[in-house]
Amino acid sequence: MIVKLRSMKTTVCREAHFNSAHRLHNSEWSDDRNQAVFGKCNNPTYHGHNYDLIVKVTGDVDPETGYVMDMKILKDLIEEHVIEAFDHKNLNLDTEEFKSLNPTAENIARVIYEKLRPGIGEDLGLRIVLYETRRNFVEYGE
Amino acid sequence: MIVKLRSMKTTVCREAHFNSAHRLHNSEWSDDRNQAVFGKCNNPTYHGHNYDLIVKVTGDVDPETGYVMDMKILKDLIEEHVIEAFDHKNLNLDTEEFKSLNPTAENIARVIYEKLRPGIGEDLGLRIVLYETRRNFVEYGE
Amino acid sequence: MIVKLRSMKTTVCREAHFNSAHRLHNSEWSDDRNQAVFGKCNNPTYHGHNYDLIVKVTGDVDPETGYVMDMKILKDLIEEHVIEAFDHKNLNLDTEEFKSLNPTAENIARVIYEKLRPGIGEDLGLRIVLYETRRNFVEYGE
Amino acid sequence: MIVKLRSMKTTVCREAHFNSAHRLHNSEWSDDRNQAVFGKCNNPTYHGHNYDLIVKVTGDVDPETGYVMDMKILKDLIEEHVIEAFDHKNLNLDTEEFKSLNPTAENIARVIYEKLRPGIGEDLGLRIVLYETRRNFVEYGE
Amino acid sequence: MIVKLRSMKTTVCREAHFNSAHRLHNSEWSDDRNQAVFGKCNNPTYHGHNYDLIVKVTGDVDPETGYVMDMKILKDLIEEHVIEAFDHKNLNLDTEEFKSLNPTAENIARVIYEKLRPGIGEDLGLRIVLYETRRNFVEYGE
Amino acid sequence: MIVKLRSMKTTVCREAHFNSAHRLHNSEWSDDRNQAVFGKCNNPTYHGHNYDLIVKVTGDVDPETGYVMDMKILKDLIEEHVIEAFDHKNLNLDTEEFKSLNPTAENIARVIYEKLRPGIGEDLGLRIVLYETRRNFVEYGE
């Protein structure tokens, strides 16, 4: 029999987008090592992506509203904490989070999780899916 | 080490579609409260969506057929229990399920789960993914 | 040799979305004829769609801006004339345009063209692409 | 409270594609039974698909690189073990794996898992998503 | 000013799908030349694709129905002349059309045009878009 | 009757991708005017996009090959003239073309047309479709 770990929970998901410049770089490494590990993603003048973000919130459905969480509130949280912070920005230069943290998709997903987590109820699960391109994406969270 | 909870199981997934009218409304609330909570989704003359449905069935692969479940049978189950019931219908007015239940994506996903569950073997897991729009979707099930 | 009818022109395209209820119905016909011609799309309690709209504007590129037209202005025109008019509405009941005009995709595309045309410069071409579902869409305009 | 089984892990995902011919067939069955069970998928002269493959690897993020795993290495593993083996091939005739194993999506996903597993670190989880068509897909792995 | 060649016409579009095996091969050439020109697409045991087909019909909108053409009739025409002929078939072996004609996307699109043209009114334009993969597609027709 | 301007021609289309940083900026304008016209796209530290490019070539089908043009040759042309030039680059800083030309989608599409045109036969038409985001795209060419 299938163990119904999640059977009474519902997950609601909201997609958003931001367009940013970045480069992959570890400032504690030599230029040669950065180039060897990160290749063209290390280009010193940056490149960029259309990031597609899916935020997933898991919990019980409120019997009065039929909602796990009001999607307008979730949309506003994403707008305030992610889109305003990262959209049409250079992640390495314009954000506090990636001044010293390498903006790989893995790290961006974790940072988004940490920025959104305080605004999501403690009884709710949070999971981030972040597409860097159509072919490369990451997942992070509960 | 990764705990291999699902490692010997395979999940097969089938996509389907239905186009319906609906409105979000709690009949025990005042009109003002409905409008405050559900906003434009409360429009008394309804609006509508192209719902994209993914049904996921998890189990063991039959060594003779190479199937978890014959997808034609799953397709027919979805056709009979979901598409015939909801496609080109007004969810609030034309269906028994949503006469008194608010047709949020969360509730529609759970109702679809409950309509399909009896037709899926007890040794199989069932999970529903329902897209209300490209940007808003929900998941429900084991 | 290919005739370069459009060769010096550039087309800029903007996508938008609206979710509406509608039914196909010709009020001058009997119920039987409406049912025979429009089938399940004639459902008297309505059904609905997520409409995906692409607006295409064709013209010369301004050498100073590099724009055919500022996409923010096009976005605002679509928002004002299409999204506010049709989104989360019942096309048959809530709009002047479809009080007596059958809201087929063909007619909706033409109405959108006529609503947007006055706001687009006379030296610019305008073309509408409207997806009623992923599988059914229409095109209208120059 | 949500049990945070996966909370400290990150999943990186890579999409790839291959185009193959196949037929569904159990060589131990009569032609009639094959036809009854597999229908048009049993066509003796084969049919084919554009398979869309997503490979998901789950683990900890290396603090020096910001990577769970270098996606270039994952891309090369997929290229060597899956694309070279299956792309522009007849799965039933041209591959060792499906000489006697029925090439259902379920079995192809498991075979891909087994071909990739040795190249993925033991501390990493591996999960395969395989789309046979836009409407039919399977998942397999941890 | 934009020349409004098509301005009073509306185009309706319908998407369909078929999954087929094929190989590219010119029977009047040597094996070496076939291999040199067609490469892996010449594999003698075939490969296959999920073909995505869009059929576009251009004409005037009937003021009574609001239709250029009833999409159910177009859907049935595509089903009868294209899907039944090509779906789950080997294009080279199972069809008359490609017994001696190389089944490139260009040729398949023209054959589909010629199969559908007699069923489409003479006052209507017909155009075919055929995706062999997400990255390779062709267009043919008026 | 539909005028069959293009009826004997076939169009073949190839999709490619590149990821670049850019900013919109007219160096002959003041900072204030740049900010007023280009808004957040003028961010001095750049932002970026996943550009999706479709190259369309129109001509006659060679009766021997069944090709308008060998797609491998077209793919290589795009790789050499577009992807190597723009992928993982800063368009404003790293390319000759956009040193003084504003890298709007309109201008990028025209530059791509001009880079590819010499490699495409004179008897073939060439048209460029460039997606800057899923919602904004441009078309240029014959």
Side-chain angles (χ1 to χ4, degrees):
Chain A
M1 228 198 67
I2 300 287
V3 180
K4 302 190 182 191
L5 273 178
R6 298 179 298 180
S7 69
M8 292 304 105
K9 298 292 180 185
T10 298
T11 299
V12 294
C13 311
R14 173 78 194 170
E15 193 189 29
H17 307 277
F18 55 94
N19 310 319
S20 312
H22 82 151
R23 70 180 297 213
L24 301 188
H25 189 75
N26 182 332
S27 59
E28 299 185 2
W29 291 355
S30 69
D31 285 356
D32 282 356
R33 188 169 173 200
N34 270 296
Q35 178 58 34
V37 172
F38 297 121
K40 62 185 180 178
C41 298
N42 182 241
N43 180 30
T45 51
Y46 310 98
H47 62 286
H49 295 292
N50 301 334
Y51 289 94
D52 291 335
L53 168 67
I54 298 172
V55 177
K56 300 185 166 191
V57 175
T58 297
D60 295 316
V61 175
D62 181 315
E64 278 206 301
T65 58
Y67 284 166
V68 168
M69 179 182 180
D70 189 330
M71 291 299 256
K72 291 188 295 294
I73 294 173
L74 182 57
K75 181 187 174 189
D76 289 347
L77 277 172
I78 298 170
E79 185 69 29
E80 178 187 349
H81 294 288
V82 183
I83 308 305
E84 286 187 19
F86 296 159
D87 187 39
H88 283 73
K89 296 285 173 63
N90 183 309
L91 297 179
N92 304 68
L93 298 180
D94 298 339
T95 74
E96 282 308 308
E97 291 86 351
F98 300 106
K99 281 266 158 62
S100 60
L101 180 68
N102 198 6
T104 60
E106 290 92 325
N107 281 338
I108 301 172
R110 181 168 58 77
V111 163
I112 290 173
Y113 174 91
E114 289 166 358
K115 288 168 77 80
L116 291 176
R117 184 69 265 187
I120 307 290
E122 286 197 0
D123 55 335
L124 299 173
L126 175 62
R127 191 161 173 84
I128 303 298
V129 184
L130 182 71
Y131 286 78
E132 190 173 84
T133 69
R134 204 194 289 175
R135 291 200 160 193
N136 288 326
F137 61 102
V138 302
E139 302 177 357
Y140 181 77
E142 297 105 27
Chain B
M1 227 198 70
I2 300 287
V3 181
K4 302 189 183 191
L5 275 176
R6 299 179 297 180
S7 69
M8 292 304 105
K9 299 291 181 185
T10 298
T11 299
V12 293
C13 310
R14 173 79 194 169
E15 193 190 28
H17 308 276
F18 56 96
N19 310 319
S20 311
H22 83 151
R23 71 180 295 216
L24 300 188
H25 189 74
N26 183 332
S27 59
E28 300 185 0
W29 290 355
S30 68
D31 285 357
D32 281 356
R33 188 171 173 199
N34 270 295
Q35 178 58 34
V37 172
F38 297 121
K40 61 185 182 178
C41 298
N42 183 240
N43 180 30
T45 51
Y46 310 98
H47 63 286
H49 295 292
N50 301 333
Y51 290 95
D52 292 335
L53 169 68
I54 298 172
V55 177
K56 300 186 167 192
V57 175
T58 298
D60 295 317
V61 175
D62 181 314
E64 276 206 301
T65 58
Y67 283 167
V68 168
M69 179 182 181
D70 189 329
M71 292 298 257
K72 290 189 296 294
I73 293 173
L74 182 58
K75 181 188 175 188
D76 290 347
L77 277 171
I78 298 170
E79 185 69 30
E80 179 187 347
H81 294 288
V82 182
I83 309 304
E84 286 187 19
F86 296 158
D87 187 37
H88 282 73
K89 296 286 173 61
N90 182 310
L91 296 179
N92 304 69
L93 298 180
D94 299 339
T95 74
E96 283 308 310
E97 289 87 350
F98 300 106
K99 280 267 157 60
S100 60
L101 180 68
N102 198 7
T104 58
E106 290 91 327
N107 281 339
I108 302 172
R110 181 168 57 79
V111 164
I112 290 173
Y113 174 91
E114 288 167 359
K115 289 167 77 78
L116 291 175
R117 182 71 265 187
I120 307 290
E122 286 196 1
D123 56 333
L124 299 173
L126 174 63
R127 191 162 173 82
I128 303 298
V129 184
L130 182 71
Y131 285 78
E132 191 173 84
T133 68
R134 200 193 291 173
R135 290 199 162 194
N136 288 327
F137 62 102
V138 302
E139 303 178 356
Y140 181 76
E142 297 105 27
Chain C
M1 227 198 71
I2 300 287
V3 181
K4 303 192 181 188
L5 276 177
R6 298 180 297 182
S7 67
M8 293 304 104
K9 298 292 181 185
T10 298
T11 299
V12 294
C13 310
R14 174 78 194 167
E15 195 189 27
H17 308 276
F18 56 95
N19 310 320
S20 311
H22 82 149
R23 71 179 296 215
L24 301 188
H25 189 72
N26 182 333
S27 59
E28 300 186 0
W29 290 356
S30 69
D31 284 358
D32 282 357
R33 188 170 175 199
N34 269 296
Q35 178 58 35
V37 172
F38 297 122
K40 63 184 180 180
C41 297
N42 183 241
N43 180 30
T45 51
Y46 310 97
H47 63 285
H49 295 291
N50 301 333
Y51 290 94
D52 291 336
L53 169 68
I54 299 172
V55 177
K56 299 186 167 191
V57 175
T58 299
D60 294 316
V61 175
D62 181 314
E64 277 206 303
T65 58
Y67 283 166
V68 168
M69 179 181 179
D70 188 328
M71 292 299 257
K72 289 189 297 294
I73 293 173
L74 182 57
K75 182 188 175 189
D76 289 346
L77 277 172
I78 298 171
E79 185 68 29
E80 178 187 348
H81 294 288
V82 182
I83 307 307
E84 286 187 18
F86 295 159
D87 187 37
H88 283 72
K89 297 287 173 62
N90 183 311
L91 297 179
N92 305 69
L93 298 180
D94 298 339
T95 74
E96 283 308 308
E97 291 85 352
F98 300 106
K99 281 265 156 62
S100 60
L101 179 69
N102 198 6
T104 59
E106 290 93 325
N107 282 338
I108 301 172
R110 182 169 57 78
V111 163
I112 290 173
Y113 174 91
E114 289 166 359
K115 289 167 77 78
L116 290 176
R117 184 69 265 189
I120 307 291
E122 286 195 0
D123 55 334
L124 299 173
L126 175 63
R127 192 161 173 83
I128 303 298
V129 184
L130 182 70
Y131 285 79
E132 191 174 86
T133 68
R134 204 194 288 176
R135 289 199 161 194
N136 288 327
F137 61 103
V138 302
E139 302 178 356
Y140 182 77
E142 298 105 28
Chain D
M1 226 200 69
I2 301 288
V3 181
K4 302 191 182 189
L5 274 177
R6 298 180 297 183
S7 69
M8 293 303 104
K9 299 292 181 183
T10 298
T11 299
V12 294
C13 310
R14 173 79 194 167
E15 194 190 27
H17 307 276
F18 56 96
N19 309 319
S20 311
H22 83 150
R23 69 180 297 216
L24 301 189
H25 189 74
N26 182 332
S27 60
E28 300 185 0
W29 290 355
S30 69
D31 284 357
D32 282 356
R33 188 170 173 200
N34 270 296
Q35 178 59 33
V37 172
F38 297 121
K40 63 185 180 180
C41 298
N42 183 240
N43 179 30
T45 50
Y46 311 97
H47 62 285
H49 295 292
N50 302 333
Y51 289 95
D52 291 335
L53 169 69
I54 299 172
V55 177
K56 298 185 168 192
V57 175
T58 298
D60 294 317
V61 175
D62 181 313
E64 277 206 302
T65 59
Y67 283 166
V68 168
M69 179 183 180
D70 188 330
M71 293 300 257
K72 290 189 297 295
I73 293 173
L74 182 57
K75 182 187 173 188
D76 289 346
L77 277 171
I78 298 170
E79 185 69 30
E80 178 187 349
H81 294 288
V82 182
I83 307 306
E84 286 187 17
F86 296 159
D87 187 38
H88 283 73
K89 297 287 173 62
N90 182 310
L91 297 179
N92 304 70
L93 298 180
D94 299 340
T95 72
E96 283 308 309
E97 290 87 351
F98 300 105
K99 280 267 157 59
S100 60
L101 179 68
N102 197 7
T104 59
E106 290 92 326
N107 281 337
I108 301 172
R110 182 169 56 79
V111 163
I112 290 173
Y113 174 91
E114 288 167 359
K115 290 168 77 77
L116 291 177
R117 183 70 264 190
I120 307 290
E122 287 196 359
D123 55 335
L124 299 173
L126 175 62
R127 191 161 174 84
I128 304 297
V129 184
L130 183 70
Y131 285 79
E132 190 173 85
T133 68
R134 205 194 288 174
R135 290 199 163 194
N136 288 327
F137 61 102
V138 302
E139 302 178 357
Y140 181 77
E142 298 103 26
Chain E
M1 229 198 69
I2 299 287
V3 181
K4 301 190 181 188
L5 274 177
R6 298 179 298 181
S7 68
M8 292 305 104
K9 299 292 181 185
T10 298
T11 299
V12 294
C13 310
R14 173 80 193 166
E15 194 189 27
H17 307 277
F18 56 95
N19 310 319
S20 310
H22 83 151
R23 71 180 295 216
L24 301 188
H25 190 73
N26 182 332
S27 60
E28 299 185 1
W29 290 355
S30 69
D31 284 357
D32 281 357
R33 189 170 171 199
N34 270 295
Q35 179 57 35
V37 172
F38 297 121
K40 62 185 181 179
C41 298
N42 183 240
N43 179 29
T45 51
Y46 311 98
H47 63 286
H49 295 292
N50 301 335
Y51 290 94
D52 291 336
L53 170 67
I54 298 172
V55 177
K56 299 186 168 192
V57 175
T58 298
D60 294 319
V61 174
D62 182 314
E64 277 206 301
T65 58
Y67 283 168
V68 168
M69 178 181 181
D70 188 330
M71 292 300 258
K72 291 190 295 294
I73 293 173
L74 182 57
K75 182 187 174 188
D76 289 347
L77 276 171
I78 298 170
E79 185 68 30
E80 178 187 347
H81 294 288
V82 181
I83 308 306
E84 286 187 19
F86 296 159
D87 187 37
H88 283 73
K89 297 287 172 61
N90 182 311
L91 297 179
N92 304 69
L93 298 179
D94 298 339
T95 74
E96 283 307 309
E97 291 86 351
F98 300 106
K99 281 267 156 59
S100 60
L101 180 68
N102 198 6
T104 58
E106 289 93 325
N107 282 337
I108 301 172
R110 181 168 58 77
V111 163
I112 290 173
Y113 174 91
E114 289 166 358
K115 290 168 77 78
L116 291 176
R117 182 73 263 190
I120 306 291
E122 286 196 359
D123 55 334
L124 299 174
L126 176 62
R127 192 162 173 84
I128 303 299
V129 184
L130 182 70
Y131 286 79
E132 192 173 85
T133 68
R134 201 193 290 174
R135 291 200 160 194
N136 288 327
F137 61 103
V138 302
E139 303 178 356
Y140 181 77
E142 298 106 25
Chain F
M1 229 199 67
I2 301 288
V3 181
K4 302 193 182 189
L5 276 177
R6 298 179 299 180
S7 68
M8 293 303 104
K9 298 293 181 185
T10 297
T11 299
V12 294
C13 311
R14 173 78 194 168
E15 194 188 30
H17 307 276
F18 56 95
N19 310 320
S20 311
H22 82 150
R23 72 181 294 214
L24 301 188
H25 189 74
N26 182 332
S27 59
E28 300 185 0
W29 290 355
S30 69
D31 284 357
D32 282 357
R33 189 170 173 197
N34 270 296
Q35 179 58 34
V37 173
F38 298 121
K40 64 185 179 178
C41 298
N42 183 240
N43 179 29
T45 52
Y46 310 98
H47 63 285
H49 295 291
N50 301 334
Y51 289 94
D52 291 336
L53 169 68
I54 299 173
V55 177
K56 300 186 167 192
V57 176
T58 298
D60 295 316
V61 174
D62 181 314
E64 277 206 302
T65 57
Y67 282 166
V68 167
M69 178 181 180
D70 188 330
M71 292 299 256
K72 290 189 296 292
I73 293 174
L74 182 57
K75 182 188 174 188
D76 289 347
L77 277 171
I78 298 169
E79 185 70 29
E80 179 187 349
H81 293 289
V82 182
I83 308 306
E84 286 188 19
F86 296 158
D87 187 38
H88 283 73
K89 296 287 172 63
N90 182 311
L91 296 179
N92 305 68
L93 298 180
D94 299 337
T95 74
E96 283 307 310
E97 291 86 351
F98 299 105
K99 281 265 158 62
S100 60
L101 179 68
N102 197 7
T104 59
E106 291 92 325
N107 281 338
I108 301 172
R110 181 168 59 78
V111 163
I112 290 174
Y113 174 91
E114 289 167 358
K115 290 168 76 81
L116 291 177
R117 185 69 265 190
I120 307 290
E122 286 196 0
D123 55 335
L124 299 173
L126 175 62
R127 191 161 173 84
I128 303 299
V129 184
L130 182 70
Y131 285 78
E132 191 172 85
T133 68
R134 205 194 286 175
R135 291 199 159 192
N136 288 326
F137 61 103
V138 302
E139 303 178 357
Y140 182 77
E142 298 104 28

